[in-house]
Amino acid sequence: MQVTVYNCRPFDEKALFTECAKELGLDIVLCGDAPDMDNVSLSRGSRCVNVITSKIDADLLRAFRDNGVEYITTRTIGYDHIDLEAAKACGIKVGNAPYGPNGVADYTVMLILMSIRRMGAILGRTALQDYTLAGLNGRELRDLTVGVIGTGRIGATVVRDLSGFGCRILAYDLYEKDEVKQYAAYVPIDRIWREADVITLHTPLTQDNHHLINARTIAQMKDGVVIVNTARGALIDSDAFIEAIENGKIGAAGLDVVENEFGLYYYDHKSDILKNRELALLRSFPNVIVSHHMAFYTKNYVETVVKDSMKSCLLYMEGKENPWEVH
Ligand code: NAI
């Protein structure tokens, strides 16, 4: 029973995959790159492949199918990078590997605090030995209203964590959760646009919420609103967002994800001319903190996803009930 693992990181995953495969009695083929038409042949002989957030489109899925692949597991919670309809058409099942929400929730709270305290600009000045104060005055979280959009595992944890800061919390989700109601008030989404000083996104990316933050919704927001996105880049219309940063409508932002980050993040592009102008602009603003989709990246995460993704392959190949199968 063989599994081909793509995007296997030599510095923290390789040893874990090797050890885990041995424990589970699986053979593994390890590849450091994302799957593409050049390396798809490495999946030959494997009924399962193990990927991370690279684009898995219809052509690649058909090539996997032709190589005998039946199951794709992604070492992530979100699976919008896999064309699910094409996978279904190819008869390929898809699984994910959820991990605890605390790492992303911690990171979100950090981005909120960094944004309201202008930490990007502070660190920039410190690096230049500029120890002045002008322009660096921050705000205290307890004086602010935070709007949390999406109160699933991560959003609900963010709500609970934020409750300790004494801020007012508004929440929006398609489904309400009792545990959230003890700390936050569920309101219609337009009240979040109108009343929140800080808005943080925690929904998956779906056809319904693509560009949820756009020129129309930004226009309803408070002047100087802070936006934090640790969910998915395409929840925000980058052009409208950049315009709102430039005209001051958006006062600060913390973005762990951006539109069209595929192929950029997790690679060293120091010497490359990048074809993502929006990212270049966002990185240039002193009030925007950009990180490369790494809110999840903790020791706990790595151990969990390596083990669970491999166990899920084993369960699939043994024909047993598989709690990680999503499609
Ligand atoms: P979850 O599935 O537990 O919660 C998602 C919540 O969003 C659910 O309560 C659902 O009802 C709600 N929702 C779905 N569509 C909605 C809509 N149109 N409007 C309002 N609410 C909507 O997912 P979890 O674990 O909380 O993760 C949330 C997202 O965070 C993931 O889908 C993923 O895209 C992103 N993520 C980002 C990471 C990073 O490293 N930056 C790591 C992990 C997840």
Side-chain angles (χ1 to χ4, degrees), residues 281-324:
L281 279 171
L282 290 167
R283 281 180 39 233
S284 74
F285 298 124
N287 55 349
V288 178
I289 292 164
V290 176
S291 60
H292 48 277
H293 198 153
M294 55 183 308
F296 65 90
Y297 193 47
T298 64
K299 186 170 182 286
N300 180 297
Y301 152 82
V302 178
E303 288 170 4
T304 304
V305 297
V306 167
K307 284 185 188 147
D308 289 355
S309 64
M310 293 303 275
K311 278 190 214 155
S312 137
C313 292
L314 180 64
L315 289 176
Y316 176 81
M317 288 191 278
E318 288 180 340
K320 293 191 178 148
E321 197 179 321
N322 180 358
W324 291 288

Side-chain angles (χ1 to χ4, degrees), residues 77-78 80 99 104 149-155 172-175 202-206 209 230-232 256-257 293-296:
I77 295 176
D80 50 278
Y99 41 90
V104 181
I149 298 183
T151 54
R153 289 165 2 114
I154 295 170
Y172 172 75
D173 198 301
L174 303 176
Y175 308 97
H202 301 287
T203 69
L205 176 65
T206 65
N209 63 16
T230 57
R232 283 293 180 266
D256 187 49
V257 286
H293 198 153
M294 55 183 308
F296 65 90

Side-chain angles (χ1 to χ4, degrees), residues 189-190 193-195 215-222 249:
I189 199 161
D190 52 312
W193 303 143
R194 288 199 311 268
E195 295 179 32
R216 186 184 55 79
T217 52
I218 291 170
Q220 298 173 56
M221 294 178 195
K222 285 176 114 169
K249 177 76 182 176

